Amino acid sequence: MSAPRVTVLYFAAARERTGQTRESLEVPAGAQVRDVLRQLTERHPALAPLLPHLRVAVNQAFVGPDAPVGDGAEVALIPPVAGGAPERFRVVDRPLRLEEVVEAVSGEACGGLVTFSGSVRNQTKGRRVLRLEYEAYAPMAEKKLAEIGAEAAAKFPGVRLSIIHRVGTLVPGELAVVIAAASPHRKEAFGGCEYAIERLKQDVPIWKKEFFEDGEVWVGLGP
């Protein structure tokens, strides 16, 4: 019987350290996440400094080091974040319009509507930003966005969320994310929108790289 094999996906800084987006890896029977990471750092020593910053997803779900990794599993290395989901939750590679999310949640039953537009700033800590490059593990990102929508609906009854995030190269002034929260009353709409913004920064595998006149840095891994 052949040994189990898994597919490893690399994103952002992890992709740069390994020089590839994916690879197939043979693992021992009964392997855990920690065993996979050990093999990967032996194969790619440049990954070792990143390990304290990485999270691991197996089959699009975050797991710990003791989690089993079976034959055919998809293992993704997820740097810090700055499967079809509903149309209200998308990752796209085109310019955004706030109207998209507004139209997705509006309705006669919703008296309150709150929106958020996140655009690219022209400076960070006094350094002029030339452009940003956003990258995502899109299937998992859309799934996580939908989970945020479900969490918000449970926490703020009546809230409907829509979140659309852009990937690719963006210049200052362009929209990176648009969010709309609608509910029968304004309090829940405000709460749902703020909740979505904060949760988006925590668990959704979307990364950004900032390019300055004097260098570049992956947000979350820089000084």
Side-chain angles (χ1 to χ4, degrees), residues 88-89 98-116 148-163 178-196:
R88 292 185 289 127
F89 305 98
L98 184 61
E99 292 79 9
E100 297 179 80
V101 288
V102 171
E103 292 168 0
V105 299
S106 295
E108 293 182 358
C110 295
L113 176 66
V114 176
T115 65
F116 172 80
I148 291 171
E151 292 169 9
K155 190 175 181 66
F156 305 96
V159 161
R160 278 173 53 84
L161 280 180
S162 180
I163 308 171
V178 287
I179 302 173
S183 72
H185 306 288
R186 66 180 184 276
K187 181 177 179 181
E188 287 76 16
F190 275 107
C193 190
E194 182 178 20
Y195 182 82

Side-chain angles (χ1 to χ4, degrees), residues 115-183:
T115 65
F116 172 80
S117 301
S119 60
V120 177
R121 297 188 303 269
N122 64 2
Q123 64 83 31
T124 296
K125 297 180 180 178
R127 304 170 73 187
R128 188 163 76 89
V129 174
L130 301 180
R131 68 183 187 278
L132 298 184
E133 290 185 1
Y134 280 91
E135 178 180 321
Y137 180 15
M140 183 175 176
E142 291 185 338
K143 180 185 291 187
K144 289 295 178 183
L145 292 177
E147 287 177 7
I148 291 171
E151 292 169 9
K155 190 175 181 66
F156 305 96
V159 161
R160 278 173 53 84
L161 280 180
S162 180
I163 308 171
I164 303 178
H165 205 295
R166 184 178 173 184
V167 293
T169 301
L170 286 74
V171 298
E174 290 192 294
L175 291 173
V177 61
V178 287
I179 302 173
S183 72

Side-chain angles (χ1 to χ4, degrees), residues 69-80:
V69 181
D71 187 34
E74 181 183 83
V75 180
L77 302 192
I78 308 291

